Amino acid sequence: MMKKGMIVGAVAVALVLMGSMMIRTADAAPQITVYKSPACGCCNGWIEHLEDAGFEVQAVDTEDMATIKAANGIHSGLASCHTGLVDGYAVEGHVPADVLKRFLKEKPEMAGLAVPGMPIGSPGMEVPGQPAEQYQVLAFDPSGKAFVYEVVN
C-alpha cells in the first residue's frame, strides 16, 4: 500500500518528466513548465516576465520543490525558489528571458541555467527604490558543475 508521501512524490516525478519532454517547433513560442510554491510572489513575477517575453508558461504549484530540484540536478549551490523545464533543460531561479532564449537557440550540451538565490533586480525580484544587483547566470552540466554563462548588470 502506497503512503500519501510516496504518491505525492510519484506524481511530482511524473510531472517533471512530462515537463521536460515538452518540445516546441521552430515557429512556436517556447513552452516552459514552472514548478513553484503556491505562496511565492516573486515566482509569479518571473512567470509574468517570461510571458511578456513570449513564453507560454504552465505554472504548477507544489509543496515538494525538493523532489523537482533533485530530479533535475539542482543542488543547493544552484538553488532558488522555483524550477522551470523547457526543451529538455532545467531553469532554476530568476533567469532573464533574453538569456534563456539565447541559451535555447544555442542548445549547449548542458543540463540548464541557474540564478542561485534571489538577487535584487533580477526578473521578479525588482524592489522599487533599490538599484539592481549585479549577478551571474550559471550554466550547469549533468554532474552539477557550474560555469558562468552571463553576468547581468
Side-chain angles (χ1 to χ4, degrees):
M1 183 166 176
M2 290 185 82
K3 293 183 179 183
K4 183 179 179 184
M6 292 172 63
I7 293 170
V8 170
V11 169
V13 170
L15 288 171
V16 168
L17 293 173
M18 287 174 24
S20 66
M21 293 186 326
M22 293 179 74
I23 304 295
R24 62 184 171 91
T25 62
D27 295 332
Q31 296 179 348
I32 185 168
T33 302
V34 178
Y35 297 89
K36 66 180 195 64
S37 166
C40 187
C42 69
C43 297
N44 293 330
W46 186 65
I47 288 169
E48 289 175 16
H49 167 76
L50 292 178
E51 290 172 337
D52 289 347
F55 284 83
E56 290 183 19
V57 180
Q58 176 187 3
V60 178
D61 288 340
T62 180
E63 296 293 341
D64 190 14
M65 289 301 301
T67 299
I68 303 296
K69 291 178 189 318
N72 289 284
I74 312 287
H75 60 71
S76 62
L78 296 173
S80 184
C81 55
H82 53 263
T83 304
L85 301 175
V86 58
D87 287 358
Y89 294 107
V91 184
E92 181 69 7
H94 298 268
V95 175
D98 61 332
V99 175
L100 178 54
K101 283 183 175 181
R102 181 169 53 97
F103 183 83
L104 293 173
K105 184 177 180 181
E106 292 172 356
K107 298 184 187 307
E109 291 187 23
M110 290 282 147
L113 291 176
V115 172
M118 300 166 72
I120 300 297
S122 60
M125 288 298 301
E126 299 88 352
V127 177
Q130 281 198 310
E133 300 174 340
Q134 182 183 63
Y135 61 95
Q136 295 177 341
V137 178
L138 305 177
F140 60 96
D141 68 16
S143 74
K145 186 174 179 184
F147 311 86
V148 175
Y149 183 73
E150 184 165 320
V151 175
V152 179
N153 295 312

mmCIF file of all heavy atoms in Angstrom, residues 1 6 23 26 29 43 65 69 71 81 84 86 88 90 96 105 124 127 135 153:
data_model
loop_
_atom_site.group_PDB
_atom_site.id
_atom_site.type_symbol
_atom_site.label_atom_id
_atom_site.label_comp_id
_atom_site.label_asym_id
_atom_site.label_seq_id
_atom_site.Cartn_x
_atom_site.Cartn_y
_atom_site.Cartn_z
ATOM 1 N N MET A 1 0.844 -1.183 0.000
ATOM 2 C CA MET A 1 0.000 0.000 0.000
ATOM 3 C C MET A 1 0.888 1.245 0.000
ATOM 4 O O MET A 1 1.825 1.346 0.790
ATOM 5 C CB MET A 1 -0.875 -0.031 1.242
ATOM 6 C CG MET A 1 -1.836 1.089 1.335
ATOM 7 S SD MET A 1 -2.992 0.576 2.630
ATOM 8 C CE MET A 1 -3.991 1.929 2.791
ATOM 9 N N MET A 6 4.484 8.975 -0.687
ATOM 10 C CA MET A 6 5.001 8.265 -1.853
ATOM 11 C C MET A 6 4.198 8.624 -3.095
ATOM 12 O O MET A 6 4.760 8.765 -4.178
ATOM 13 C CB MET A 6 4.959 6.758 -1.615
ATOM 14 C CG MET A 6 5.947 6.289 -0.545
ATOM 15 S SD MET A 6 5.738 4.555 -0.104
ATOM 16 C CE MET A 6 6.124 3.764 -1.642
ATOM 17 N N ILE A 23 8.432 19.728 -26.216
ATOM 18 C CA ILE A 23 9.293 20.167 -27.315
ATOM 19 C C ILE A 23 8.502 21.168 -28.145
ATOM 20 O O ILE A 23 7.313 21.021 -28.379
ATOM 21 C CB ILE A 23 9.699 18.967 -28.211
ATOM 22 C CG1 ILE A 23 10.365 17.880 -27.373
ATOM 23 C CG2 ILE A 23 10.576 19.406 -29.355
ATOM 24 C CD1 ILE A 23 11.682 18.250 -26.751
ATOM 25 N N ALA A 26 9.987 25.182 -34.420
ATOM 26 C CA ALA A 26 10.822 26.361 -34.630
ATOM 27 C C ALA A 26 10.026 27.659 -34.553
ATOM 28 O O ALA A 26 10.536 28.667 -34.094
ATOM 29 C CB ALA A 26 11.533 26.259 -35.969
ATOM 30 N N ALA A 29 6.017 29.556 -29.805
ATOM 31 C CA ALA A 29 6.572 30.196 -28.615
ATOM 32 C C ALA A 29 7.177 29.126 -27.718
ATOM 33 O O ALA A 29 6.655 28.016 -27.638
ATOM 34 C CB ALA A 29 5.468 30.937 -27.873
ATOM 35 N N CYS A 43 7.946 34.285 -7.683
ATOM 36 C CA CYS A 43 7.818 33.283 -8.752
ATOM 37 C C CYS A 43 6.805 33.764 -9.788
ATOM 38 O O CYS A 43 7.021 33.638 -10.989
ATOM 39 C CB CYS A 43 7.370 31.934 -8.190
ATOM 40 S SG CYS A 43 8.528 31.184 -7.030
ATOM 41 N N MET A 65 9.169 21.004 -3.668
ATOM 42 C CA MET A 65 10.181 21.505 -4.593
ATOM 43 C C MET A 65 11.474 20.693 -4.515
ATOM 44 O O MET A 65 12.197 20.579 -5.495
ATOM 45 C CB MET A 65 10.470 22.985 -4.311
ATOM 46 C CG MET A 65 9.332 23.918 -4.707
ATOM 47 S SD MET A 65 8.906 23.831 -6.474
ATOM 48 C CE MET A 65 10.443 24.287 -7.259
ATOM 49 N N LYS A 69 13.699 19.633 -7.768
ATOM 50 C CA LYS A 69 15.094 20.049 -7.909
ATOM 51 C C LYS A 69 16.014 18.832 -8.022
ATOM 52 O O LYS A 69 16.887 18.782 -8.889
ATOM 53 C CB LYS A 69 15.490 20.948 -6.745
ATOM 54 C CG LYS A 69 14.787 22.309 -6.802
ATOM 55 C CD LYS A 69 15.148 23.184 -5.630
ATOM 56 C CE LYS A 69 14.311 24.435 -5.545
ATOM 57 N NZ LYS A 69 14.019 25.151 -6.752
ATOM 58 N N ALA A 71 15.363 15.822 -9.042
ATOM 59 C CA ALA A 71 15.148 15.101 -10.301
ATOM 60 C C ALA A 71 15.796 15.809 -11.486
ATOM 61 O O ALA A 71 15.992 15.204 -12.537
ATOM 62 C CB ALA A 71 13.652 14.941 -10.555
ATOM 63 N N CYS A 81 14.066 29.712 -5.745
ATOM 64 C CA CYS A 81 12.734 29.374 -5.247
ATOM 65 C C CYS A 81 11.863 28.602 -6.241
ATOM 66 O O CYS A 81 10.898 27.981 -5.832
ATOM 67 C CB CYS A 81 12.015 30.637 -4.793
ATOM 68 S SG CYS A 81 11.926 31.923 -6.043
ATOM 69 N N GLY A 84 12.061 25.745 -13.592
ATOM 70 C CA GLY A 84 11.368 25.609 -14.863
ATOM 71 C C GLY A 84 11.983 24.497 -15.694
ATOM 72 O O GLY A 84 13.163 24.174 -15.539
ATOM 73 N N VAL A 86 12.178 23.371 -19.811
ATOM 74 C CA VAL A 86 11.894 23.788 -21.179
ATOM 75 C C VAL A 86 12.863 23.093 -22.129
ATOM 76 O O VAL A 86 14.070 23.094 -21.898
ATOM 77 C CB VAL A 86 11.961 25.337 -21.323
ATOM 78 C CG1 VAL A 86 13.308 25.896 -20.912
ATOM 79 C CG2 VAL A 86 11.600 25.791 -22.723
ATOM 80 N N GLY A 88 13.939 20.216 -22.583
ATOM 81 C CA GLY A 88 14.899 19.290 -22.007
ATOM 82 C C GLY A 88 15.907 19.911 -21.059
ATOM 83 O O GLY A 88 16.813 19.237 -20.583
ATOM 84 N N ALA A 90 16.695 22.368 -17.487
ATOM 85 C CA ALA A 90 16.181 22.901 -16.227
ATOM 86 C C ALA A 90 16.574 24.374 -16.156
ATOM 87 O O ALA A 90 17.656 24.766 -16.603
ATOM 88 C CB ALA A 90 16.781 22.142 -15.051
ATOM 89 N N PRO A 96 16.901 35.751 -16.652
ATOM 90 C CA PRO A 96 16.237 36.678 -17.585
ATOM 91 C C PRO A 96 15.809 35.957 -18.869
ATOM 92 O O PRO A 96 16.524 35.092 -19.383
ATOM 93 C CB PRO A 96 17.316 37.723 -17.884
ATOM 94 C CG PRO A 96 18.275 37.636 -16.741
ATOM 95 C CD PRO A 96 18.264 36.193 -16.325
ATOM 96 N N LYS A 105 18.453 28.784 -28.103
ATOM 97 C CA LYS A 105 18.863 28.858 -29.504
ATOM 98 C C LYS A 105 20.214 28.172 -29.710
ATOM 99 O O LYS A 105 20.429 27.472 -30.698
ATOM 100 C CB LYS A 105 18.939 30.318 -29.952
ATOM 101 C CG LYS A 105 19.249 30.498 -31.408
ATOM 102 C CD LYS A 105 19.237 31.964 -31.803
ATOM 103 C CE LYS A 105 19.547 32.108 -33.271
ATOM 104 N NZ LYS A 105 19.571 33.506 -33.687
ATOM 105 N N GLY A 124 11.391 39.474 -11.516
ATOM 106 C CA GLY A 124 10.536 39.010 -10.432
ATOM 107 C C GLY A 124 11.013 39.468 -9.069
ATOM 108 O O GLY A 124 10.290 39.377 -8.087
ATOM 109 N N VAL A 127 12.765 45.651 -6.714
ATOM 110 C CA VAL A 127 12.346 46.332 -5.491
ATOM 111 C C VAL A 127 12.356 47.828 -5.775
ATOM 112 O O VAL A 127 13.421 48.392 -6.055
ATOM 113 C CB VAL A 127 13.283 45.996 -4.306
ATOM 114 C CG1 VAL A 127 12.858 46.777 -3.064
ATOM 115 C CG2 VAL A 127 13.312 44.500 -4.038
ATOM 116 N N TYR A 135 24.570 40.173 -10.981
ATOM 117 C CA TYR A 135 24.506 38.754 -10.636
ATOM 118 C C TYR A 135 24.931 37.909 -11.819
ATOM 119 O O TYR A 135 25.013 38.383 -12.945
ATOM 120 C CB TYR A 135 23.106 38.350 -10.143
ATOM 121 C CG TYR A 135 21.993 38.555 -11.149
ATOM 122 C CD1 TYR A 135 21.578 37.512 -11.969
ATOM 123 C CD2 TYR A 135 21.346 39.778 -11.273
ATOM 124 C CE1 TYR A 135 20.556 37.681 -12.884
ATOM 125 C CE2 TYR A 135 20.323 39.958 -12.175
ATOM 126 C CZ TYR A 135 19.922 38.916 -12.985
ATOM 127 O OH TYR A 135 18.908 39.085 -13.892
ATOM 128 N N ASN A 153 24.230 43.017 -15.365
ATOM 129 C CA ASN A 153 24.464 44.251 -14.616
ATOM 130 C C ASN A 153 23.189 44.973 -14.317
ATOM 131 O O ASN A 153 22.289 45.028 -15.053
ATOM 132 C CB ASN A 153 25.392 45.192 -15.408
ATOM 133 C CG ASN A 153 26.773 44.595 -15.560
ATOM 134 O OD1 ASN A 153 27.340 44.129 -14.583
ATOM 135 N ND2 ASN A 153 27.296 44.606 -16.755
#
